[in-house]
Amino acid sequence: MRSGSTDLWLTDDQQNVWRAFLAASVVIDDALDAALRPFDLDLGEYEILVKLSEAEDRRLRMSDLADRVRQSRSRLTHTVSRMERKGLINREACPDDRRGVIAVLTRRGFALLEEAAPTHVRSVRDAFVDRVEARDFAALGRAMRAVLEGPGR
Amino acid sequence: MRSGSTDLWLTDDQQNVWRAFLAASVVIDDALDAALRPFDLDLGEYEILVKLSEAEDRRLRMSDLADRVRQSRSRLTHTVSRMERKGLINREACPDDRRGVIAVLTRRGFALLEEAAPTHVRSVRDAFVDRVEARDFAALGRAMRAVLEGPGR
């Protein structure tokens, strides 16, 4: 679906970078998931452990947790239920809001995070950080911040 | 989960770029999905339309289609069933392999792709291509190819 007749379509160069970005995202996700498998964790679960470990008292309202992770709210509810069954998280009623729910990292959840973290970080290095030249890495950071910061040139 | 005691952990800079990459991926996916919603398509469905439109006779064995898209095989089966119900794709038995299935783009599927493509490309420009400085864009391409090409420096 590309034609040379208008400025709308991507150039071959732009198309190549765009497709490489999509493909690299999948390769990275797959590598990180594979690294976490021996810990019986996937990337979504790991991300939740990290966010709770960084929160005060290792607890967050579900709505705050939802704002901090990469998954949709419906998937988050699903993931948190699974993690509760594994004993990594408890859900508690919110004292000042009858309909609110708080997710609390358990001691076991924190221990699993500590155990998995070195392997996870190693996989981020192997699949991403250590593959990219330092110069390109800085440019990548600027590019991603430009995407996050809104309307461009 | 970061400490200064070993070279394993990411530096603050590396951590920032890594988190920006993850966050930007979500922002881009969300923007592209939103742009396709008026066409009753999501990004996974759009990708399947594109791959079939690029294939000879607009048809691909399901196993070949699976190799070309970003979704898992189980999700692909699900997505293709939904697209078949919408009349965008037909599934046919493979003549030379009793267990093989071929996905065929319908005339209606191709028409919908033609209709949605300008809006999709516009969203790729708005969310990604046009936000990044040309210089950083080239570096981003090198970085993504380094991720895809294997072991780094």
Side-chain angles (χ1 to χ4, degrees):
Chain A
M1 294 311 297
R2 188 152 31 93
S3 101
S5 61
T6 149
D7 282 349
L8 170 67
W9 303 106
L10 302 182
T11 65
D12 284 348
D13 255 14
Q14 291 171 330
Q15 177 99 311
N16 288 340
V17 173
W18 168 236
R19 293 201 174 188
F21 178 80
L22 291 178
S25 302
V26 175
V27 165
I28 291 170
D29 272 6
D30 287 352
L32 271 52
D33 261 334
L36 289 170
R37 212 161 291 140
F39 303 96
D40 193 25
L41 287 171
D42 66 27
L43 201 49
E45 293 172 323
Y46 185 84
E47 187 182 31
I48 292 168
L49 294 179
V50 170
K51 297 303 175 187
L52 289 175
S53 79
E54 291 173 349
E56 202 180 329
D57 297 330
R58 297 181 189 162
R59 58 175 59 218
L60 281 173
R61 292 173 60 113
M62 284 292 287
S63 53
D64 293 331
L65 181 58
D67 290 339
R68 295 176 198 200
V69 296
R70 298 200 296 156
Q71 40 200 304
S72 66
R73 274 157 206 260
S74 61
R75 198 183 136 212
L76 176 64
T77 306
H78 202 77
T79 308
V80 165
S81 299
R82 194 172 60 233
M83 293 172 76
E84 195 170 27
R85 286 195 299 275
K86 293 200 268 185
L88 307 176
I89 284 179
N90 286 327
R91 275 184 291 193
E92 296 178 0
C94 191
D96 48 296
D97 172 4
R98 277 197 315 170
R99 297 192 314 166
V101 174
I102 293 179
V104 187
L105 188 59
T106 63
R107 196 183 280 258
R108 182 164 165 188
F110 188 75
L112 183 59
L113 176 60
E114 284 196 312
E115 193 191 337
T119 301
H120 169 73
V121 176
R122 171 52 56 202
S123 72
V124 174
R125 285 202 165 282
D126 288 348
F128 181 71
V129 174
D130 289 350
R131 290 203 181 185
V132 179
E133 295 288 338
R135 193 174 48 117
D136 294 340
F137 198 77
L140 174 64
R142 283 194 301 275
M144 296 298 101
R145 280 189 292 275
V147 167
L148 292 171
E149 278 161 18
R153 50 195 173 176
Chain B
M1 296 310 298
R2 188 152 32 94
S3 102
S5 60
T6 147
D7 282 349
L8 171 66
W9 302 106
L10 302 182
T11 65
D12 284 347
D13 256 13
Q14 291 172 331
Q15 177 99 309
N16 288 340
V17 173
W18 168 237
R19 292 202 176 189
F21 178 80
L22 291 178
S25 302
V26 174
V27 165
I28 292 170
D29 271 5
D30 287 351
L32 271 53
D33 261 333
L36 289 170
R37 212 162 291 139
F39 304 95
D40 192 26
L41 287 171
D42 66 26
L43 201 49
E45 294 172 323
Y46 185 85
E47 188 182 30
I48 291 169
L49 294 179
V50 170
K51 297 303 175 187
L52 289 176
S53 79
E54 292 173 349
E56 201 181 329
D57 296 330
R58 297 180 189 163
R59 58 175 59 220
L60 281 173
R61 291 174 62 112
M62 285 292 286
S63 52
D64 293 331
L65 181 58
D67 290 339
R68 294 175 199 202
V69 296
R70 297 200 298 155
Q71 40 200 305
S72 65
R73 273 156 205 261
S74 61
R75 199 184 136 213
L76 176 63
T77 306
H78 202 76
T79 308
V80 165
S81 299
R82 193 170 62 233
M83 294 173 76
E84 195 170 27
R85 285 195 299 275
K86 293 200 268 185
L88 307 176
I89 284 179
N90 286 326
R91 276 183 291 194
E92 296 178 0
C94 192
D96 48 295
D97 171 5
R98 279 196 316 172
R99 298 191 315 165
V101 174
I102 293 178
V104 186
L105 188 60
T106 64
R107 197 182 279 259
R108 182 166 166 186
F110 188 75
L112 183 59
L113 175 60
E114 282 196 313
E115 193 190 338
T119 302
H120 169 73
V121 175
R122 171 53 55 206
S123 73
V124 173
R125 284 203 167 281
D126 288 348
F128 181 70
V129 174
D130 289 350
R131 290 202 182 185
V132 179
E133 295 288 339
R135 192 174 49 118
D136 293 340
F137 197 78
L140 175 63
R142 281 194 302 274
M144 296 298 101
R145 281 189 291 275
V147 166
L148 293 171
E149 278 163 15
R153 47 190 179 189

